Amino acid sequence: MDGSSGRAARKARQPKGEPVRGVVQPGQLAPLVDEAGANASPAEPGYHELLPIEPARALALVDFSPPSVGLGERLIRMAYRLGMPGAMFSGPRGKKARTRLLATVNNSLPGNRMAGTAIRAGHFLVHGAKTPIAQVDFAGAARVAPPLEKTVHSFSWLTDLEACAPREQGAPVAERILSAWLQANPEPPAKPGKGPAWSIGNTGMRLANWLAHAPLILSGDKALRSRTLGHIAATARWLDRHVTHAEDGLAEVAGWVGIVCAGLLLPDGRPRRLYGEAGLIKALGELMGDDGGVLSRSPLAQIEAIALLVRLRNCYHATRRDAPPAIERVVELLVPPLLALTHGDGGLGSWQGAWAVSAEDVDGIVRASGLRTRPLRDVRQWGYQRVVAAKSILQFDTAPPPLPAHARFGCASTLAFELSHGPHRLVVNCGGAASGGGLVPVRLEQGLRATAAHSTLTLDDANSTAVLLNGMIGSGVTEVSVDRKTLTQDGGTHATRLEAGHNGYAARYGLTHRRILLLRDDGTELRGEDLLLPANRKAKRGKVGFAIRFHLGPEVDVSLTADGQGAGLLLPDGSYWLFRSGSDEGAVTVEDSLWVDGQGRPQATQQIVVQGMVSRGGGTFGWVIKRMN
């Protein structure tokens, strides 16, 4: 996103004299939603009341431009960007100040006490898999699973260690691991990407974590403290030069966050802070869409972006400064889309490589953000629709997979849905591709990204969008149409109707897939219809195999009906639901499946599959999921 063109486009979309959509007016208690999302209820899971804030322009999408500064500061920022040392602008006659930290940061981000306890016992615990710390190659020459690499080299484990023990007990453990890491990585390389330790994302997060958890790593041996401070300064200088070579948008944001944190907490940091703030705000503009969803469409990336900005805000507060208004507004934009993917149990749906992140983790990041708001229901640009009907919550993927430039674990999930009732999940997606390398084997990662791992229709066991290695996405779905309506039914009841279609199978099979979902407002019945329509006037001859999959939640007890056209679904609360297929062309079977839980661990589940052959001229397949008691 070009900064000037993006600002011009946003200003053109904002009518003069009218309030911006989704903005809380003075004296109101209202959700941060667009016009279509105004009916969210305070009783919804994940609801957090949004307090009155600034009027009109406050929550419009921010202008992604550097903070307003005077001419002198602009010249300092420009000179620093061109390579002039920061000491030239602050020390007497350009004398470099002694490296030290200017403040102690109060960490507000939640850590994992279980993972922290495992570290004290000598193991890294990542998604249920234990790795002895003594066996970790901190130089990164022997590559390990990405989740473990990120934990080790970003030093995110410091937050877990701080959460499980007092400083005097955690500091010796942290210093032992830090010493081993510094011995394996004595100085930054000439270029980024020389192993996982020196990717821009891991380096930016590591620098921010070192500064935020300085009491854990700078409280002991004087020689280690001096060495660590020298490495912190060298890492900050390395990021200054290489941050724009990040592996993706989120990694670049992490790099800029590390730079700004160093500018706040290291001596002679004012030029670096001014430089970093300008780069960070530009990078945020390229990371997210107008509704606040990150362009990777991943809930994990959304959480990571919030966590990075919260940690940065803590560094501002430590130095008795307020974060720039643009950064605060970005946090306000990031939280409501994330809450749109919460189910009745408070955890997240399984989308774009994410596992079903637990309610505790979601609540922790929202509390750390300091924002109290309702979820969006129609996050159209991010690509998800949300319907709340009494105790039932429906989530629907109505967008193409992310572009390869943004995808870390891109999934071919277009037109998949999830359904929960109260705290129980009825229909889910497998999820968890990003946790491959913990208890989920790495070899399953590509399978978990496939269309068949999601609750939607597949043709000929093929993905609607090609799933490639290293998290990349290939050709397939390029266009998705979406229509949302509220219908009045007999007896005065209402229902929400969602209709969406994609062209992912048009090139290979000459068919487009359309899906219609109709959820009653009492939440007791979801009717669905999957339509295969010829992409061109002249349909192809022959038949092709199809399968419509409904992956079931881990608590669902399923059994086929006697006529073979349906299945009974029993939930732990005693409610009994019936799945029925309305098509004679497909047989209903129950097969094994997999669901990755809130800690990134695999759980054995089952799935209902409606499968058969369909003419290349198209077909229609109806089904219903209905509560019977």
Side-chain angles (χ1 to χ4, degrees):
M1 179 189 299
D2 177 75
S4 58
S5 62
R7 291 193 298 274
R10 293 184 185 99
K11 289 179 179 178
R13 287 195 291 267
Q14 180 185 345
K16 293 184 178 180
E18 295 182 15
V20 180
R21 291 188 303 167
V23 173
V24 179
Q25 303 302 321
Q28 289 182 334
L29 291 177
L32 172 60
V33 295
D34 60 15
E35 292 169 339
N39 69 344
S41 167
E44 273 191 37
Y47 168 77
H48 300 269
E49 189 176 49
L50 183 64
L51 297 179
I53 53 174
E54 300 176 28
R57 187 69 174 89
L59 288 185
L61 189 67
V62 298
D63 290 330
F64 292 108
S65 56
S68 178
V69 295
L71 177 60
E73 290 184 321
R74 286 202 299 271
L75 292 174
I76 291 173
R77 185 165 59 203
M78 181 184 303
Y80 190 81
R81 187 171 64 245
L82 294 175
M84 190 171 291
M88 294 293 296
F89 307 99
S90 51
R93 297 183 182 179
K95 183 179 180 180
K96 185 178 179 181
R98 179 175 62 89
T99 301
R100 59 191 177 89
L101 295 191
L102 303 179
T104 300
V105 179
N106 180 29
N107 177 50
S108 62
L109 288 168
N112 187 316
R113 292 176 59 88
M114 187 179 297
T117 302
I119 290 171
R120 293 181 63 197
H123 297 83
F124 286 118
L125 179 64
V126 181
H127 303 317
K130 286 185 177 181
T131 303
I133 296 173
Q135 297 179 12
V136 172
D137 176 16
F138 290 102
R143 298 301 297 267
V144 296
L148 178 60
E149 283 184 347
K150 185 173 183 179
T151 298
V152 170
H153 296 294
S154 71
F155 277 69
S156 60
W157 54 265
L158 285 172
T159 307
D160 301 329
L161 186 60
E162 183 180 82
C164 80
R167 182 189 305 171
E168 56 271 16
Q169 295 179 18
V173 178
E175 289 173 351
R176 282 198 301 271
I177 300 173
L178 174 64
S179 297
W181 192 94
L182 291 175
Q183 184 174 355
N185 300 275
E187 59 184 18
K191 294 181 180 179
K194 299 295 184 180
W198 295 101
S199 68
I200 298 298
N202 284 343
T203 304
M205 293 178 68
R206 178 170 67 249
L207 181 56
N209 282 317
W210 278 350
L211 293 168
H213 297 287
L216 277 178
I217 59 175
L218 298 176
S219 298
D221 181 70
K222 185 176 180 179
L224 177 61
R225 180 166 64 250
S226 176
R227 185 182 180 192
T228 302
L229 286 170
H231 208 293
I232 287 174
T235 300
R237 291 192 297 269
W238 186 86
L239 275 176
D240 288 342
R241 298 192 302 270
H242 299 297
V243 64
T244 55
H245 300 110
E247 48 273 24
D248 58 32
L250 185 58
E252 183 174 351
V253 167
W256 286 114
V257 165
I259 288 171
V260 179
C261 288
L264 289 165
L265 296 170
L266 296 182
D268 304 330
R270 182 183 174 210
R272 175 177 281 134
R273 173 177 62 82
L274 294 171
Y275 165 68
E277 287 172 345
L280 173 60
I281 293 172
K282 182 178 182 293
L284 287 170
E286 296 169 350
L287 177 72
M288 53 192 286
D290 284 2
D291 53 19
V294 295
L295 298 183
S296 67
R297 304 192 59 229
S298 168
L300 297 180
Q302 197 85 0
I303 289 174
E304 188 173 323
I306 295 170
L308 284 167
L309 297 182
V310 169
R311 193 172 299 290
L312 177 59
R313 180 206 282 161
N314 291 341
C315 292
Y316 275 104
H317 292 170
T319 57
R320 299 183 179 181
R321 289 184 175 91
D322 291 328
I327 292 177
E328 295 289 357
R329 291 168 185 162
V330 169
V331 176
E332 293 168 351
L333 283 167
L334 287 169
V335 173
L338 178 69
L339 293 178
L341 297 184
T342 53
H343 277 293
D345 59 4
L348 295 180
S350 304
W351 300 106
Q352 292 303 319
W355 53 91
V357 177
S358 69
E360 180 182 3
D361 290 341
V362 174
D363 187 62
I365 194 69
V366 173
R367 286 181 182 275
S369 76
L371 199 67
R372 294 187 288 173
T373 182
R374 297 186 181 109
L376 296 183
R377 73 166 193 176
D378 183 1
V379 198
R380 189 156 302 209
Q381 289 198 358
W382 203 29
Y384 300 104
Q385 295 285 328
R386 172 189 178 89
V387 181
V388 179
K391 294 183 179 181
S392 295
I393 295 177
L394 172 68
Q395 298 174 10
F396 191 24
D397 183 350
T398 55
L403 295 174
H406 306 298
R408 287 189 176 183
F409 297 94
C411 297
S413 59
T414 309
L415 301 197
F417 78 95
E418 291 197 348
L419 178 68
S420 62
H421 179 73
H424 309 297
R425 303 190 184 210
L426 270 164
V427 180
V428 298
N429 301 307
C430 295
S435 67
L439 290 182
V440 174
V442 174
R443 65 180 182 273
L444 291 184
E445 179 210 309
Q446 264 193 293
L448 293 173
R449 296 166 54 215
T451 305
H454 298 81
S455 294
T456 187
L457 176 143
T458 60
L459 284 180
D460 199 26
D461 289 329
N463 294 320
S464 57
T465 300
V467 172
L468 308 178
L469 295 174
N470 300 320
M472 301 296 282
I473 283 290
S475 60
V477 178
T478 58
E479 297 178 0
V480 178
S481 58
V482 187
D483 181 63
R484 178 173 182 145
K485 296 178 180 176
T486 299
L487 304 179
T488 301
Q489 298 184 309
D490 295 340
T493 61
H494 296 84
T496 299
R497 182 184 186 273
L498 295 172
E499 180 176 358
H502 74 71
N503 63 345
Y505 292 118
R508 284 169 288 176
Y509 304 107
L511 294 169
T512 60
H513 176 207
R514 297 197 68 80
R515 169 166 273 185
I516 300 172
L517 300 178
L518 187 71
L519 180 63
R520 284 176 43 166
D521 62 355
D522 62 3
T524 62
E525 180 179 290
L526 174 66
R527 290 190 173 272
E529 190 172 24
D530 288 288
L531 299 89
L532 292 170
L533 305 172
N536 303 305
R537 291 184 178 181
K538 187 177 181 180
K540 295 183 178 181
R541 295 182 179 181
K543 292 189 174 183
V544 63
F546 76 92
I548 309 173
R549 300 180 184 274
F550 304 84
H551 297 273
L552 302 176
E555 299 176 317
V556 178
D557 186 4
V558 57
S559 58
L560 286 173
T561 57
D563 62 0
Q565 287 300 302
L569 311 174
L570 182 63
L571 297 184
D573 62 3
S575 62
Y576 182 78
W577 297 68
L578 182 65
F579 170 87
R580 294 290 298 178
S581 171
S583 172
D584 296 331
E585 300 181 26
V588 178
T589 60
V590 174
E591 300 178 4
D592 291 336
S593 184
L594 177 73
W595 179 72
V596 181
D597 70 10
Q599 303 303 319
R601 302 167 301 193
Q603 305 290 336
T605 60
Q606 293 180 293
Q607 59 177 312
I608 298 171
V609 185
V610 181
Q611 55 190 334
M613 303 295 292
V614 61
S615 166
R616 294 290 187 98
T620 301
F621 313 99
W623 47 267
V624 63
I625 300 174
K626 184 176 182 179
R627 180 171 178 170
M628 303 303 293
N629 60 344

